[in-house]
Amino acid sequence: MVTATSTRAAGRLNGKAESDPAIHMEGLSKQYGRGKIPALDSLDLRVNQGEIFGYLGPNGAGKTTTIRLLLDIIHPSGGRASVLGMDSHSESIALHRRIGFLPGDLNLWEGMSGRQVVNYIGRIRGGVNTAYVDELTTRLALDLSKTVRSYSTGNRRKLGLVLALMNKPELLILDEPTNGLDPLVQQTFHQLMIETRNEGRTVFLSSHVLSEVQAICERVAILRDGKLQAVERVSDLMRVRFQWITMHFREAIDPGKLAGVPGVSEVSDVDGALHFKLTGDFDPVLRAVSDRYVTSLHAQEPSLEEIFLTFYGEKSTAHPAESLKEVVS
Amino acid sequence: MSGVVFIETLRRNWRAMLIWGIGVASMAGYIMVVIPDMKTLQQYAGLIKNLPPVLINALGGDTASMGTPSGFLAYGFFGWIMLVMATWAVLTGLSLTANEEDRGIMDVLLALPLPRWRIIVERFLAQLVILILIVLISFMVLAWGSQQTEVLRSIPFDRIAGSTFNFIPATLFVLTLTALLAVIVRRRSTAAAIAAIIVIGSWFIDTVGKSAPSTDAIRTVSFFRYYDSSGVMQNGLVASHVIGLLVVSALMLAAAVWFFQRRDVGV
């Protein structure tokens, strides 16, 4: 069980105290039927107001179960959750006025147009901010006059985002938000999330897309088999910087050439090229091979998985770094 | 906002309401067009008398009234049209929660500031309005048609009205039964199958029960016993039957709300 808080995000919250988290789960558990493995096992997690929080895990880890518990769509087998200071079960209706939600598997009324869906949901929420809806649809390049039936997967996702965002909720809960979105719209989505955070609002997004989490989240939680494995700031993780380097030479080169070069490790010969991990500056490497003709050089950023492994490898053995290898895949 | 689901349900179903209303009314119109004169009716009754009672009862008539215009109308229309209305009721009962739960749409609704009970109650009320409109359309056609046919003019107006509005309690019974089943079993297809079995089973029990005095007691478990098309046509609405069906429907609706309020959705 891992619990963590961030003071950085809380400091930006226009006076909102860290003691008043956006989401607070205490021993939250869910078991679908007696004798079955818990879908969620005693989850303790605190998400601060005004941050973009990533919730990572492979399929079946319990991400959607957590979200459905927070929204009172299903009821916990144990523990409790409070959202924006309100009990997620007993005060769910008042709470839902303050939350925008995008389900992972978004299904809507096929025969209705996008506009009709927006108006329907908007009326239930107490009104539609037409100007903001128009702004969102313009930015996301979504045509609301078409029926849901005729929308592509990406357009359905965009409509889902409009529905989640249109009332400018204090908390956005997004389940796999960029599934099916093209890269350009993903960029717009990232901008929207950053704007949301800059307005002091909170985003809780689940994902298995590491780059997405890396790009916009301040902290991430990793979930596996219904158990929380880790909660860390992305910026802290990213400090463990290294690169995978592949250098091609005109003539074959002995990998031993890089032995002892500062920051170089895990050197291997891949089809005549040198492949190695570099932590720190590049200059010592260039000096070490200065008598050879370099034909090409390729540098690759590490994945979040590798960063996690490195991070926990350096910190302590208490963290289940090895298990994360399976989680963040 | 209160009433949004009610209005949306009406908006989404007005076409279906017209189709069902016109469909049921067309069937009523058809039977009035084909209804023979009094003499033929009596000959017809004489022929029917020789049929097995089970068969006559299955068609919603009885030998005593078959030779009268009202008996013929009860036999030719009101007897079997309840099965059509029951079909509408099953489909509508599923639309209160099961359709959207099955398709995964319910998550979107439940994440809104909308109490679960309001989803069921507002939709039910909208469907009640739609049912009343379907019945009204049928009644208007029957009322107008009965004045155009000489043989049907003898039927008291209140009997046609009573028989037509007699659809409502029995249809609501099937609708709320289906809604309750859908909330309990959680699967649309399962709920539909159980509701269909109950409707057909009730029809069968009622038919068998009517065929002999010794088996009449088993009819008490069938809602068709309380619908009783030929009895209502001959003697008017029976208040205890109407109230009984409405009370049971209200209880089943309340139970559906209770279960839906407490259970996990979409699992």
Side-chain angles (χ1 to χ4, degrees):
Chain A
M1 193 184 305
V2 182
T3 310
T5 59
S6 166
T7 51
R8 183 172 62 99
R12 200 182 41 239
L13 300 178
N14 307 324
K16 287 172 187 167
E18 196 195 348
S19 59
D20 190 14
I23 298 172
H24 191 196
M25 303 175 219
E26 293 172 288
L28 196 65
S29 303
K30 182 64 186 176
Q31 193 166 10
Y32 296 107
R34 283 179 192 168
K36 293 193 174 173
I37 298 166
L40 205 63
D41 193 0
S42 294
L43 188 71
D44 289 322
L45 183 65
R46 187 184 167 107
V47 177
N48 296 311
Q49 293 198 36
E51 71 173 325
I52 305 177
F53 191 91
Y55 200 48
L56 273 173
N59 291 336
K63 303 189 297 294
T64 301
T65 295
T66 310
I67 286 172
R68 300 183 90 233
L69 283 167
L70 292 176
L71 291 165
D72 197 37
I73 296 169
I74 57 175
H75 306 309
S77 312
R80 62 184 294 276
S82 67
V83 181
L84 299 171
M86 304 170 94
D87 186 85
S88 66
H89 175 60
S90 62
E91 298 172 282
S92 63
I93 303 304
L95 183 58
H96 291 175
R97 289 182 213 288
R98 303 165 67 188
I99 296 178
F101 170 53
L102 172 67
D105 190 12
L106 179 66
N107 293 293
L108 293 164
W109 303 273
E110 296 283 324
M112 290 171 81
S113 70
R115 178 71 65 189
Q116 284 174 326
V117 173
V118 165
N119 287 340
Y120 180 36
I121 301 289
R123 284 201 309 273
I124 291 174
R125 285 190 166 280
V128 182
N129 181 344
T130 314
Y132 189 54
V133 168
D134 290 344
E135 183 193 324
L136 287 172
T137 53
T138 305
R139 290 178 70 178
L140 292 167
L142 175 67
D143 180 0
L144 287 180
S145 66
K146 292 183 177 173
T147 59
V148 171
R149 188 178 290 114
S150 67
Y151 279 148
S152 63
T153 308
N155 279 335
R156 281 175 195 236
R157 224 61 205 141
K158 290 178 192 176
L159 178 58
L161 282 172
V162 171
L163 295 174
L165 288 161
M166 67 182 188
N167 284 82
K168 297 201 168 188
E170 291 167 62
L171 171 65
L172 275 169
I173 297 180
L174 311 174
D175 196 358
E176 308 277 0
T178 57
N179 262 3
L181 293 182
D182 63 55
L184 274 178
V185 180
Q186 282 187 28
Q187 284 301 315
T188 308
F189 168 75
H190 290 168
Q191 286 164 11
L192 284 166
M193 293 304 101
I194 289 163
E195 287 167 19
T196 301
R197 182 198 56 196
N198 291 344
E199 289 166 10
R201 296 186 281 139
T202 311
V203 180
F204 180 83
L205 68 89
S206 85
S207 181
H208 62 260
V209 182
L210 304 181
S211 57
E212 173 178 282
V213 169
Q214 210 168 323
I216 58 170
C217 291
E218 281 140 9
R219 293 193 302 142
V220 290
I222 310 275
L223 197 68
R224 183 200 185 201
D225 293 337
K227 289 180 182 163
L228 193 61
Q229 302 290 324
V231 182
E232 291 295 343
R233 292 182 194 179
V234 173
S235 57
D236 286 347
L237 294 170
M238 296 306 288
R239 255 180 235 132
V240 192
R241 280 199 173 277
F242 66 86
Q243 289 174 297
W244 287 109
I245 308 294
T246 306
M247 295 179 90
H248 290 266
F249 299 88
R250 187 178 285 165
E251 296 93 21
I253 184 169
D254 177 14
K257 186 95 177 161
L258 294 179
V261 175
V264 172
S265 60
E266 300 178 38
V267 185
S268 60
D269 185 339
V270 181
D271 300 329
L274 285 186
H275 182 74
F276 55 92
K277 185 177 175 181
L278 175 64
T279 308
D281 295 334
F282 215 97
D283 193 64
V285 177
L286 292 177
R287 287 180 193 281
V289 296
S290 59
D291 59 335
R292 301 301 175 101
Y293 191 95
V294 180
T295 54
S296 72
L297 187 151
H298 178 70
Q300 189 186 350
E301 290 291 324
S303 68
L304 199 56
E305 169 200 332
E306 291 166 321
I307 290 172
F308 266 116
L309 289 171
T310 309
F311 185 84
Y312 287 120
E314 286 178 5
K315 275 182 84 175
S316 82
T317 52
H319 290 286
E322 277 308 313
S323 68
L324 292 171
K325 191 172 186 177
E326 294 171 49
V327 175
V328 194
S329 57
Chain B
M1 206 165 81
S2 192
V4 175
V5 176
F6 174 82
I7 291 165
E8 180 60 27
T9 308
L10 284 182
R11 190 196 69 75
R12 232 182 281 170
N13 288 284
W14 71 268
R15 281 192 195 90
M17 183 270 291
L18 277 181
I19 291 167
W20 278 92
I22 290 167
V24 173
S26 304
M27 292 180 219
Y30 172 75
I31 198 68
M32 286 187 296
V33 168
V34 300
I35 201 160
D37 55 46
M38 280 303 292
K39 196 179 165 190
T40 318
L41 264 180
Q42 278 153 10
Q43 287 171 345
Y44 190 50
L47 281 173
I48 286 174
K49 229 174 189 175
N50 299 322
L51 289 175
V54 172
L55 191 57
I56 298 170
N57 290 324
L59 298 170
D62 64 73
T63 48
S65 65
M66 205 64 90
T68 65
S70 57
F72 187 84
L73 196 58
Y75 155 74
F77 177 67
F78 289 108
W80 59 270
I81 199 70
M82 191 56 228
L83 284 177
V84 176
M85 294 307 293
T87 306
W88 177 86
V90 170
L91 295 174
T92 304
L94 294 173
S95 75
L96 297 195
T97 59
N99 289 351
E100 288 177 351
E101 192 171 355
D102 239 36
R103 292 174 192 153
I105 303 174
M106 194 55 88
D107 279 19
V108 176
L109 276 182
L110 293 185
L112 296 171
L114 180 67
R116 292 185 182 196
W117 66 264
R118 259 183 53 199
I119 296 174
I120 294 185
V121 171
E122 288 194 24
R123 283 185 176 160
F124 170 78
L125 291 174
Q127 296 295 357
L128 176 61
V129 170
I130 287 166
L131 172 62
I132 290 170
L133 291 173
I134 290 172
V135 170
L136 268 177
I137 293 171
S138 307
F139 172 67
M140 285 190 293
V141 170
L142 280 163
W144 177 80
S146 66
Q147 298 308 304
Q148 311 307 311
T149 318
E150 194 181 335
V151 72
L152 288 176
R153 269 190 217 125
S154 60
I155 304 175
F157 194 70
D158 64 316
R159 294 292 157 78
I160 291 179
S163 293
T164 316
F165 288 96
N166 191 33
F167 291 157
I168 294 175
T171 307
L172 288 180
F173 174 86
V174 179
L175 191 161
T176 51
L177 171 73
T178 310
L180 176 59
L181 286 168
V183 164
I184 293 171
V185 302
R186 303 174 187 215
R187 294 287 174 269
R188 186 171 171 262
S189 52
T190 313
I194 298 172
I197 288 168
I198 291 174
V199 169
I200 294 165
S202 295
W203 173 268
F204 180 74
I205 288 169
D206 190 59
T207 303
V208 171
K210 277 194 289 189
S211 60
S214 59
T215 54
D216 192 64
I218 64 166
R219 292 178 64 214
T220 50
V221 298
S222 165
F223 74 91
F224 281 100
R225 156 89 175 77
Y226 310 101
Y227 170 65
D228 190 19
S229 61
S230 58
V232 171
M233 184 55 92
Q234 285 169 49
N235 310 309
L237 286 168
V238 180
S240 61
H241 290 181
V242 171
I243 293 168
L245 284 172
L246 291 177
V247 166
V248 173
S249 302
L251 289 174
M252 287 194 291
L253 185 71
V257 169
W258 192 86
F259 277 110
F260 193 59
Q261 199 80 18
R262 277 155 187 79
R263 74 164 170 83
D264 291 347
V265 171
V267 293

